[in-house]
Amino acid sequence: MPQELLLQVSPEIASNDLLLKNHLSKQIKVSVNEIQHVSILKRSIDARQKAIKINLKVVIYLKGEPFQDQKIQLPDYGNVAGAQEVIVVGAGPAGLFAALQLIELGLKPIVIERGKDVRGRRRDLKAINVDHLVNEDSNYCFGEGGAGTYSDGKLYTRSKKRGDVTRVLELFVAFGASEDILIEAHPHIGTNKLPQIIQDIREKIIECGGQVLFETRLTDILIKNNEVQGIVTQKGDTILANKLILATGHSARDIFELLDLKKIFIEAKPFAVGVRAEHPQSLIDSIQYSCDYRGEFLPPAPYSIVKQVGGRGMYSFCMCPGGVIAPCATSPGEVVTNGWSPSKRDQATANSGIVIELQLEDFKPFAKFGALAGMEFQKSIEQRSWHLAGETQKVPAQRMIDFTQNRVSSDIPKTSYVPGTTSVEMGQVFPGFLTQILREGFTEFGKSMRGYLTNEAILHAPESRTSSPVRIPRDPMTYEHVQIKGLYPCGEGAGYAGGIISAAIDGEKCALMIGAILNK
């Protein structure tokens, strides 16, 4: 009978199959030659003590015990070319996984995406990085795969209660991701590997009879008697269907404006805003691992930190070990930062959003915009940052201690943010209450992580697209919009997800709800 064990081992043993087998043979008191196979089910790092350990959950198969290494397979997707059609707006994780689920249910998805395919997006990313040109339909936020494709590909989620996380991870593996994402405590595909996986998902949708239309932006929703009839695109084309999954992401401001204009009920939603802090990765390693050099068997160290400052939560967000900071504006006249890591996380710097929870009352100066008040608050910070940094894609920047002491940095070293930086006193970027909380918060962070508060760390502003500033209300049982029948608000843009996995799960759930109605 295979044995399941929980154990702690050194990083060296955890990274070497032979050493691990030798260690396990002593644990279970059998010859190493008797061990046929070791399956690792879960892996995490315990860095609480000076001697860092790797936590493993393993299953040991001895000789003679049945073991078969089974490759994860895709579901048996049928051909849906002639099936009933469902419109899916947005080809991010919510939209793509909704489309796959629809195919499983025997329904035909018509996916429209305002941006380009994953390969075509690269030219526009180069344009924003090198030439400071923002394409409003193709950028780090818009295009095939959504924001996560070129801004990290993290798969960690706390949304265990929202759906089947394992199912989504296994689908990613079946489409080409490493099986390591099934066992790591904080799984990560990497911005360099995710595009091919996204392309393979799209090709599967098309192969099964679904449609994927790029550079096709929703400009109107056709509604009769409070029921969806179809959509109109910017090309003037009409696509008819009475089921619409709206999965447009947290930055699709034109969609929020369209819904507001059509008096389709939406509401302002709190989100978080702050800066993106970049440290040398070696410094974060030394803090987290309590050593001068992490060695070859430990990955670049991440960090997670939360504080209550001035009655508000201030916390790290989307932390990217061995990563870089990217320009994520979606319109000219604004600057936005985000971070990402390649699969090896081998860059010299670590970065993280450091953000503060906002409250609805913070949007009062923008009350005239109604449900869009939070969005306008967000835009005001991004546009002010653009003006302060020189009206290019450079961003305001300041050394961390200089910021806490209200002192303009005399120089800003070259950072991973390719468009460049402008030395600015960050207090000019944010409303006064946010500036004060950030200053106090970084001081508190420095007390918890000795060495974190340093002028080697460079703050980049703003980190403002943490989540949607709008919620599109839906019935908690049917997932339909509370007012419009056949409209299914979905994913991050609707306010129901926060990251690749939770968005993908939400897409599947919306598709399942539609299938339950159409397949009666």
Side-chain angles (χ1 to χ4, degrees):
M1 181 97 179
Q3 298 182 59
E4 188 174 293
L5 284 182
L6 295 172
L7 67 155
Q8 280 195 331
V9 297
S10 70
E12 183 177 6
I13 290 174
S15 65
N16 185 294
D17 290 344
L18 182 57
L19 291 179
L20 180 59
K21 273 190 177 182
N22 283 326
H23 180 86
L24 291 171
S25 73
K26 295 172 185 174
Q27 290 273 309
I28 62 175
K29 297 181 171 54
V30 300
S31 165
V32 70
N33 294 325
E34 283 297 304
I35 298 178
Q36 174 193 181
H37 179 79
V38 177
S39 290
I40 299 176
L41 303 182
K42 292 294 176 185
R43 178 167 53 213
S44 64
I45 297 174
D46 185 347
R48 292 172 295 179
Q49 307 297 325
K50 190 167 181 64
I52 296 167
K53 298 292 185 181
I54 307 298
N55 299 317
L56 295 177
K57 181 179 182 181
V58 303
V59 177
I60 305 166
Y61 296 85
L62 300 180
K63 284 186 177 177
E65 292 177 338
F67 168 74
Q68 187 173 1
D69 192 6
Q70 294 185 329
K71 183 175 172 61
I72 293 174
Q73 302 289 331
L74 286 172
D76 186 17
Y77 296 120
N79 190 289
V80 295
Q84 186 160 351
E85 296 176 343
V86 177
I87 300 169
V88 180
V89 184
L96 291 175
F97 275 75
L100 290 173
Q101 184 68 75
L102 289 169
I103 292 170
E104 271 197 80
L105 296 168
L107 300 170
K108 177 181 176 179
I110 302 176
V111 182
I112 74 163
E113 168 56 52
R114 69 189 296 163
K116 299 176 183 176
D117 64 37
V118 285
R119 305 301 169 190
R121 288 177 76 181
R122 289 179 174 174
R123 288 190 223 72
D124 299 309
L125 301 187
K126 181 180 179 182
I128 194 171
N129 273 291
V130 176
D131 303 319
H132 301 255
L133 298 174
V134 180
N135 182 326
E136 293 186 85
D137 288 320
S138 179
N139 44 62
Y140 276 96
C141 291
F142 299 148
E144 185 179 23
T149 301
Y150 286 109
S151 55
D152 208 49
K154 287 186 187 68
L155 301 180
Y156 176 62
T157 180
R158 294 183 176 89
S159 306
K160 305 299 183 188
K161 295 180 181 179
R162 292 189 184 174
D164 191 344
V165 173
T166 300
R167 171 184 156 85
V168 171
L169 292 175
E170 287 180 346
L171 277 173
F172 272 117
V173 170
F175 277 108
S178 166
E179 291 193 4
D180 285 349
I181 67 173
L182 300 174
I183 64 175
E184 297 291 353
H186 292 81
H188 171 255
I189 292 179
T191 294
N192 55 321
K193 291 192 173 182
L194 194 52
Q196 183 61 52
I197 293 167
I198 296 298
Q199 180 178 312
D200 290 346
I201 292 174
R202 177 236 304 167
E203 290 175 353
K204 176 57 70 174
I205 292 169
I206 295 171
E207 176 190 319
C208 293
Q211 288 181 263
V212 182
L213 308 175
F214 293 112
E215 299 182 69
T216 303
R217 179 163 30 91
L218 170 70
T219 56
D220 197 11
I221 301 173
L222 302 177
I223 298 170
K224 184 178 181 181
N225 298 327
N226 279 347
E227 184 169 357
V228 167
Q229 304 292 304
I231 65 169
V232 179
T233 74
Q234 93 281 14
K235 301 172 184 177
D237 297 329
T238 297
I239 303 173
L240 298 178
N242 62 10
K243 301 297 178 189
L244 166 61
I245 296 177
L246 192 64
T248 51
H250 60 41
S251 292
R253 290 170 172 165
D254 59 321
I255 298 300
F256 301 145
E257 290 168 346
L258 172 65
L259 298 178
D260 194 48
L261 182 66
K262 293 181 73 69
K263 302 192 183 313
I264 296 173
F265 185 55
I266 59 175
E267 58 191 6
K269 182 182 77 63
F271 56 105
V273 70
V275 298
R276 189 150 281 267
E278 181 170 275
H279 290 77
Q281 180 63 53
S282 58
L283 175 60
I284 298 301
D285 290 341
S286 68
I287 295 171
Q288 296 296 84
Y289 292 146
S290 302
C291 61
D292 293 331
Y293 171 60
R294 73 169 187 267
E296 62 181 302
F297 303 113
L298 284 171
Y303 66 84
S304 176
I305 191 163
V306 181
K307 293 287 182 183
Q308 284 292 314
V309 186
R312 296 183 189 240
M314 176 170 161
Y315 57 94
S316 56
F317 169 82
C318 184
M319 194 274 148
C320 301
V324 302
I325 301 176
C328 292
T330 52
S331 295
E334 66 186 26
V335 290
V336 181
T337 66
N338 198 352
W340 61 270
S341 301
S343 57
K344 292 184 179 179
R345 293 180 161 171
D346 55 1
Q347 302 300 299
T349 51
N351 69 78
S352 179
I354 306 296
V355 296
I356 298 165
E357 294 174 332
L358 296 175
Q359 301 165 2
L360 290 178
E361 63 188 43
D362 299 328
F363 309 148
K364 282 183 178 178
F366 301 89
K368 68 179 182 181
F369 295 101
L372 303 180
M375 186 182 86
E376 293 299 326
F377 174 95
Q378 185 185 59
K379 283 167 63 174
S380 71
I381 290 174
E382 295 168 1
Q383 291 168 357
R384 189 181 309 126
S385 298
W386 182 74
H387 284 294
L388 287 169
E391 301 189 349
T392 66
Q393 282 302 301
K394 288 186 176 183
V395 292
Q398 192 170 12
R399 292 180 182 269
M400 188 180 286
I401 291 178
D402 288 347
F403 171 65
T404 63
Q405 297 178 357
N406 193 14
R407 180 177 63 218
V408 175
S409 300
S410 59
D411 70 304
I412 301 291
K414 182 177 174 58
T415 72
S416 67
Y417 184 81
V418 173
T421 60
T422 300
S423 181
V424 168
E425 203 298 290
M426 273 318 171
Q428 299 178 71
V429 171
F430 302 103
F433 75 95
L434 287 179
T435 300
Q436 186 59 33
I437 292 170
L438 282 167
R439 285 187 175 132
E440 293 177 17
F442 278 120
T443 301
E444 292 301 312
F445 278 26
K447 293 175 184 176
S448 296
M449 290 179 62
R450 299 290 180 182
Y452 184 88
L453 180 61
T454 171
N455 259 353
E456 283 189 83
I458 310 300
L459 307 182
H460 303 64
E463 171 77 45
S464 51
R465 305 287 179 95
T466 54
S467 68
S468 176
V470 168
R471 180 175 287 108
I472 309 174
R474 69 188 186 190
D475 184 289
M477 300 301 293
T478 67
Y479 283 31
E480 272 188 311
H481 187 268
V482 294
Q483 173 194 6
I484 306 299
K485 189 176 172 66
L487 175 62
Y488 292 80
C490 182
E492 284 203 48
Y496 298 102
I500 291 173
I501 295 295
S502 58
I505 289 171
D506 203 56
E508 289 193 329
K509 283 187 171 183
C510 288
L512 286 167
M513 293 298 177
I514 292 173
I517 294 171
L518 298 183
N519 291 332
K520 278 183 180 178

